[in-house]
């Protein structure tokens, strides 16, 4: 019986000791800046600051006082004060073994990032990396410093090492994905963006970057769904609309492209360069739809803001002329059937004193060939006509190719016709050969004679 009570008393004592330890530990966790005294009492941050400052009055380089201050400032996110303290501690570390140089340089680097002192951050974190090259924090924050400093290729291995140290850490995939994306390693960035978006599905910046990476990597069919989704977004909507529009232009869906660009222009506070880019492609879409007046008005708005933007001046001159010349408008921008019909009329007008029999018509993306038998009372020729719709300069290579085509079909004569010009070398090549170059000026003279 006595043994039984002895066991009970012992158990009560053990439980009491455990309870006291729990209370003590709980109090210590309650205030990370509190510091225990020799008597077991806990000092408040205010008391620690007061004592540390007193010590520093006597010795401005007191390492114990500086360590106490650094801990409080860092935990309180007083980055400027913490940076100054850890900068001083890192200088004292060589003479004081109780100073943890890794911790000091790491925290100094983190503070420098917060204060946008990128050079200092890179220097401090590089020192910390040499001490502990596999530490998560040092790799993560060195990666962040490199990223902010636009050193994306240097940031990538840092974030990869950080993931090895802590695979489930937040924000690392976001930074790694954007570093890969900005290094134009689009394919590699996609898996990182997907994992980052699993962490934060509402992050529109990551969503836009992922879509652009898909588009740049040749997966426009997947990217377009995201761009369409982002069009209403106040921050990324304009840029997403531009990308969606360019995709639809590529797919020859001009109507949808116009909708994309117009949605993009409805957003407020669009950067000036982005707005001009959207307007530029919108104007070109209206030209594709033969809505020349609308397209010209948009280009003139761009010219007011930037008189040398891309080829705006050239386009304005070209389409102002088109707006006044219906046949030239058909020649340059109408559909294929209307264009071929006009070409036939050009040939008939060119040989108005002869009879023309059309043998074949071959339409390609670059030019259109029409082969015709031309009869007059005095002569008969097999003539090949090649029509270029470009308003630029056509080079010697195309003239040579045309002459070779004439020889293949044994054409007696040839006419190369363009809404632009032919190069000087092209003009030299035709000397002594049975072919003529008809440039814009002469073409216009013919077009003015044609009525439908």
């Amino acid at each position: 019986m006595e043994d039984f009570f002895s066991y009970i008393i012992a158990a009560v004592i053990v439980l009491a000791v455990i309870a006291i330890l729990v209370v003590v530990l709980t109090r210590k966790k309650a205030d990370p800046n509190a510091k225990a005294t020799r008597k077991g009492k806990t000092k408040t941050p205010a008391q620690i600051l007061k004592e540390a400052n007193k010590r520093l009055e006597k010795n401005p380089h007191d390492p114990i006082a500086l360590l106490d201050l650094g801990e409080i400032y860092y935990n309180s996110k007083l980055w400027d004060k913490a940076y100054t303290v850890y900068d001083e501690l890192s200088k004292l570390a060589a003479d004081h073994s109780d100073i943890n140089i890794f911790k000091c340089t790491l925290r100094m680097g983190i503070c420098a990032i917060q204060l946008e002192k990128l050079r200092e951050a890179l220097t401090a974190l590089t020192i910390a990396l040499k001490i502990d090259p596999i530490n998560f924090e040092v790799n993560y924050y060195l990666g962040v410093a490199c990223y902010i400093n636009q050193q994306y290729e240097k940031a990538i291995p840092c974030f990869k090492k950080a993931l090895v140290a802590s695979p489930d850490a937040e924000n690392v995939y976001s930074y790694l994905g954007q570093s890969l994306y900005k290094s134009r390693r689009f394919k590699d960035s996609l898996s990182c963006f997907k994992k980052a978006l699993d962490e934060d599905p509402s992050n529109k910046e990551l969503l836009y970057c992922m879509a652009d990476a898909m588009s740049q990597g040749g997966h426009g069919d997947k990217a377009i769904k995201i761009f369409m989704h982002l069009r209403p977004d106040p921050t990324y909507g304009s840029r997403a609309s531009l990308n969606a529009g360019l995709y639809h232009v590529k797919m020859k869906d001009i109507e949808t492209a116009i909708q994309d660009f117009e949605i993009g222009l409805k957003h407020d506070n669009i950067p000036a360069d982005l707005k001009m880019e959207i307007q530029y492609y919108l104007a070109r879409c209206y030209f594709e739809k033969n809505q020349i007046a609308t397209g010209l008005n948009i280009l003139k708005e761009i010219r007011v803001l930037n008189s040398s933007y891309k080829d705006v001046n050239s386009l304005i001159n070209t389409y102002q002329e088109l707006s006044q010349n219906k046949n030239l408008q058909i020649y340059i921008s109408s559909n294929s059937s209307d264009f071929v019909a006009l070409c036939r009329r050009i040939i008939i007008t060119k040989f108005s004193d002869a009879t023309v029999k059309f043998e074949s018509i071959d339409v390609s993306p670059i030019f259109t060939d029409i082969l015709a038998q031309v009869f007059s009372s005095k002569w008969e020729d097999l003539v090949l006509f090649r029509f270029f719709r470009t308003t630029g300069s056509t080079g010697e290579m195309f003239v040579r190719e045309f002459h070779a085509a004439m020889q293949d079909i044994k054409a007696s004569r040839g006419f190369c016709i363009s809404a632009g010009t032919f190069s000087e070398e092209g003009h030299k090549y035709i000397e002594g050969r049975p072919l003529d170059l008809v440039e814009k000026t002469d073409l216009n003279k013919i077009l003015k004679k044609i009525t439908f």
Side-chain angles (χ1 to χ4, degrees):
M1 193 70 173
E2 289 180 2
D3 290 341
F4 175 74
F5 283 114
S6 298
Y7 288 133
I8 291 176
I9 292 169
V12 170
I13 292 170
V14 169
L15 289 173
V17 171
I18 291 171
I20 291 168
L21 288 172
V22 169
V23 171
V24 170
L25 290 173
T26 303
R27 285 181 180 174
K28 284 185 177 181
K29 289 180 180 179
D31 188 351
N33 290 326
K35 186 173 180 180
T37 65
R38 290 181 182 177
K39 295 181 179 180
K41 293 183 179 179
T42 302
K43 293 182 181 179
T44 65
Q47 290 173 324
I48 297 170
L49 282 172
K50 185 177 180 181
E51 290 184 9
N53 284 321
K54 281 184 179 180
R55 292 175 66 110
L56 291 172
E57 287 176 5
K58 297 178 182 178
N59 177 11
H61 305 296
D62 187 320
I64 297 175
L66 289 170
L67 285 168
D68 287 344
L69 286 181
E71 196 71 30
I72 291 173
Y73 291 151
Y74 184 83
N75 290 331
S76 301
K77 297 183 180 180
L78 299 172
W79 307 118
D80 53 342
K81 293 183 178 181
Y83 175 82
T84 302
V85 170
Y86 285 116
D87 184 25
E88 179 65 20
L89 283 167
S90 65
K91 296 172 184 175
L92 298 173
D95 299 321
H96 297 274
S97 59
D98 52 346
I99 296 176
N100 185 332
I101 185 61
F102 172 77
K103 183 176 180 180
C104 288
T105 51
L106 171 61
R107 288 191 170 186
M108 181 181 167
I110 294 171
C111 292
I113 290 173
Q114 301 296 334
L115 297 170
E116 298 182 359
K117 296 182 176 183
L118 293 180
R119 185 185 299 175
E120 292 84 350
L122 290 168
T123 300
L125 291 167
T126 300
I127 294 171
L129 183 70
K130 290 178 181 177
I131 299 169
D132 188 352
I134 62 172
N135 179 271
F136 168 78
E137 279 191 302
V138 71
N139 280 289
Y140 173 75
Y141 284 107
L142 183 56
V144 171
C146 291
Y147 178 85
I148 296 172
N149 208 37
Q150 298 182 4
Q151 297 176 334
Y152 305 118
E153 288 291 350
K154 291 184 178 179
I156 291 167
C158 294
F159 291 127
K160 287 183 175 179
K161 287 166 69 176
L163 283 171
V164 172
S166 182
D168 298 324
E170 294 182 357
N171 296 326
V172 186
Y173 280 112
S174 174
Y175 273 118
L176 178 56
Q178 292 194 72
S179 297
L180 290 163
Y181 167 72
K182 292 180 179 181
S183 299
R184 302 190 66 79
R185 293 161 63 174
F186 301 116
K187 184 178 179 181
D188 295 337
S189 71
L190 291 176
S191 60
C192 295
F193 283 137
K194 289 174 183 176
K195 290 178 180 178
L197 285 165
D198 287 340
E199 294 176 8
D200 183 9
S202 64
N203 192 318
K204 299 297 177 63
E205 181 182 9
L206 293 178
L207 194 60
Y208 172 81
C209 291
M210 183 172 76
D212 193 43
M214 289 177 176
S215 180
Q216 298 280 2
H219 299 288
D221 53 332
K222 296 179 180 178
I224 188 61
K225 297 176 183 178
I226 301 174
F227 287 138
M228 296 287 281
H229 170 72
L230 286 174
R231 288 188 311 177
D233 184 76
T235 303
Y236 295 96
S238 294
R239 193 162 294 281
S241 297
L242 171 62
N243 281 274
L246 292 175
Y247 173 83
H248 288 124
V249 167
K250 186 178 179 180
M251 295 294 107
K252 307 296 183 185
D253 187 354
I254 304 301
E255 287 288 352
T256 305
I258 289 173
Q259 293 176 13
D260 294 327
F261 296 137
E262 288 181 338
I263 290 171
L265 291 171
K266 288 179 181 178
H267 287 284
D268 297 326
N269 302 318
I270 310 174
D273 57 339
L274 176 58
K275 183 177 181 179
M276 285 190 289
E277 190 172 7
I278 296 174
Q279 288 178 312
Y280 176 81
Y281 288 110
L282 177 60
R284 300 202 70 151
C285 283
Y286 279 124
F287 293 146
E288 286 284 331
K289 300 293 291 181
N290 281 326
Q291 297 180 33
I292 293 176
T294 304
L296 280 171
N297 288 335
I298 295 171
L299 289 184
K300 288 174 182 177
E301 286 182 29
I302 296 174
R303 187 167 63 179
V304 170
L305 298 173
N306 184 347
S307 60
S308 59
Y309 187 80
K310 294 189 177 182
D311 59 342
V312 162
N313 287 321
S314 174
L315 287 173
I316 288 174
N317 292 335
T318 297
Y319 283 97
Q320 277 183 332
E321 186 177 9
L322 286 179
S323 66
Q324 299 165 6
N325 187 331
K326 182 68 176 177
N327 286 335
L328 184 60
Q329 184 177 329
I330 293 171
Y331 188 96
I332 291 175
S333 58
S334 69
N335 59 52
S336 180
S337 60
D338 289 344
F339 172 67
V340 169
L342 178 62
C343 291
R344 290 164 62 101
R345 296 296 295 269
I346 290 171
I347 295 170
I348 292 170
T349 303
K350 178 74 175 173
F351 293 100
S352 56
D353 57 349
T355 301
V356 177
K357 179 184 177 183
F358 295 103
E359 299 288 339
S360 65
I361 297 173
D362 182 18
V363 179
S364 75
I366 300 176
F367 52 77
T368 294
D369 281 352
I370 297 180
L371 182 64
Q373 286 280 359
V374 182
F375 307 89
S376 77
S377 58
K378 298 180 180 180
W379 54 270
E380 175 182 338
D381 280 332
L382 180 64
V383 185
L384 180 63
F385 299 84
R386 177 164 289 183
F387 296 90
F388 292 94
R389 304 184 78 172
T390 178
T391 57
S393 177
T394 301
E396 178 191 359
M397 180 185 72
F398 290 100
V399 179
R400 284 178 176 274
E401 185 183 337
F402 175 65
H403 184 238
M406 287 175 55
Q407 292 176 320
D408 288 343
I409 61 174
K410 296 181 172 54
S412 305
R413 295 185 66 186
F415 291 88
C416 239
I417 303 167
S418 171
T421 59
F422 291 93
S423 68
E424 184 179 346
E425 293 78 8
H427 280 284
K428 289 180 180 178
Y429 179 78
I430 69 170
E431 293 176 2
R433 293 182 171 87
L435 62 92
D436 294 298
L437 302 180
V438 180
E439 298 180 310
K440 181 181 176 181
T441 302
D442 293 328
L443 174 62
N444 265 331
K445 291 177 182 178
I446 300 172
L447 292 174
K448 287 177 180 178
K449 299 176 182 178
I450 296 174
T451 56
F452 283 91

